[in-house]
Amino acid sequence: MSVIPPPEKLRVTPDAIEEAAKLLYIRALKILPDDIKQGFFRLDASETDGLARSVLATMIENIAVAERTENLLCQDTGIPIFNVQIGRDVELDGWALKQAIARGTERATREHPLRSSVVHPITRVNAHTSCGAHVPVINIDFVETPRTLRLEMIPKGSGSENGSFLQMLIPADGLAGVKRFVVDAAIKAGGKVCPPTILGVGVGGTSDLCMHLAKVAATRPLGSVCADAEGAKLEVELSEAVNSLGIGPQGLGGDSTAFAVHVEVAATHITMNPVAVNVQCHSARRASATFTPEGVVIGF
Ligand SMILES: O=C(O)C[C@H](O)C(=O)O
């Protein structure tokens, strides 16, 4: 009888996570992902408004200057969010992972140094660590990919985060109510969310899941499509609707209000119809580290 040895586990140390968290926070603040850069060029090519084109040109130059001079894309260092995807056959100490992410975030803030944008919500005291109760936000998910651990860092800027809306619609409001809510949210947000944006829409679930889905949608790479066919149809329709509002780059008018509208859906209750909007500003920053037995790959 042959005995197949169990697969070797991927082991990631807290030190490696801490270093990656520090590096990713700083990298995300300086280098925009390629899909977002391409998104700018696509909007620039189709924009019909002269002022909007000059705003887009300034944004494109800002991206190049930040990269060339190793400077920040925006002064807003955001609320640090880490999305952790743990594959099969990965061995780690979950508590140590959370501590390591916080230590990496704090070190990035102190050692770079970065402006800490995180305060206590009642006293408004800033510990100048970019950390606090429940911050960094850490989302953990388990995936099938063997011996892989992916750490994604998203510095979520406040101007766009303030353009978050949730409505517990009822089934009688139908899909028409969902669409109306999203378009109204885009109008209400106007230029305050630093367009062109990725407008993230959550449909279904519970109130908290719906809002979370909107954030997932807002932070998805450009070019990605909702896995649900009905959600994908809604993405096309809402992208057209939002870009016909005339809000334009920084709210100064034009066609380029959103790079895209992204939708994520979850099953919901028979008597519920929740919809949420979360906005990603034009500085749609993210960075990732993928750990495998072969080493670490840094990317977007
Ligand atoms: O945090 C800031 O510096 C400002 C923020 O990015 C904003 O859009 O209001």
Side-chain angles (χ1 to χ4, degrees), residues 166-276:
L166 170 75
Q167 181 87 54
M168 301 306 285
L169 296 174
I170 56 168
D173 293 316
L175 187 58
V178 168
K179 292 179 193 169
R180 197 176 316 115
F181 175 80
V182 174
V183 171
D184 284 350
I187 293 170
K188 227 183 285 174
K192 289 182 290 190
V193 289
C194 290
T197 62
I198 302 175
L199 209 71
V201 178
V203 184
T206 53
S207 57
D208 55 337
L209 175 57
C210 191
M211 200 70 238
H212 176 68
L213 291 175
K215 170 67 57 54
V216 171
T219 52
R220 251 174 41 203
L222 284 179
S224 61
V225 175
C226 179
D228 180 274
E230 295 303 319
K233 267 202 282 189
L234 198 54
E235 287 184 335
V236 176
E237 238 183 285
L238 287 173
S239 294
E240 273 176 29
V242 167
N243 279 321
S244 68
L245 295 174
I247 295 168
Q250 293 295 30
L252 295 171
D255 314 308
S256 312
T257 301
F259 293 110
V261 178
H262 287 170
V263 174
E264 289 289 318
V265 305
T268 193
H269 190 279
I270 47 172
T271 66
M272 285 163 49
N273 187 15
V275 53

Side-chain angles (χ1 to χ4, degrees), residues 74-76 115 158-160 192 194:
C74 173
Q75 81 291 338
D76 189 352
R115 182 192 86 176
S158 71
S160 56
K192 289 182 290 190
C194 290

Side-chain angles (χ1 to χ4, degrees), residues 13-130:
T13 65
D15 283 354
I17 297 283
E18 178 180 329
E19 282 306 319
K22 178 187 163 194
L23 184 143
L24 294 181
Y25 192 8
I26 295 169
R27 178 185 160 91
L29 292 171
K30 295 182 176 182
I31 306 172
L32 270 195
D34 293 332
D35 56 285
I36 307 297
K37 289 179 187 163
Q38 292 310 318
F40 271 104
F41 294 126
R42 260 198 313 277
L43 288 183
D44 188 45
S46 61
E47 179 60 63
T48 57
D49 183 281
L51 177 57
R53 291 196 66 166
S54 84
V55 176
L56 287 173
T58 306
M59 289 171 170
I60 291 169
E61 194 187 343
N62 178 60
I63 296 164
V65 170
E67 223 171 284
R68 197 169 61 239
T69 60
E70 296 189 32
N71 217 324
L72 306 196
L73 286 148
C74 173
Q75 81 291 338
D76 189 352
T77 50
I79 293 257
I81 300 175
F82 287 87
N83 296 321
V84 188
Q85 282 188 345
I86 304 172
R88 303 181 75 177
D89 300 315
V90 176
E91 195 174 279
L92 52 79
D93 175 337
W95 173 249
L97 171 114
K98 283 175 71 174
Q99 301 295 306
I101 288 175
R103 274 199 308 277
T105 303
E106 180 167 347
R107 280 185 49 212
T109 308
R110 288 196 194 284
E111 292 171 22
H112 185 277
L114 301 171
R115 182 192 86 176
S116 169
S117 308
V118 175
V119 294
H120 186 282
I122 298 168
T123 64
R124 310 303 295 183
V125 169
N126 188 334
H128 299 287
T129 57
S130 301

Side-chain angles (χ1 to χ4, degrees), residues 150-162:
R150 186 166 186 270
L151 197 60
E152 180 186 55
M153 198 285 150
I154 294 171
K156 189 63 184 66
S158 71
S160 56
E161 190 68 8
N162 281 335

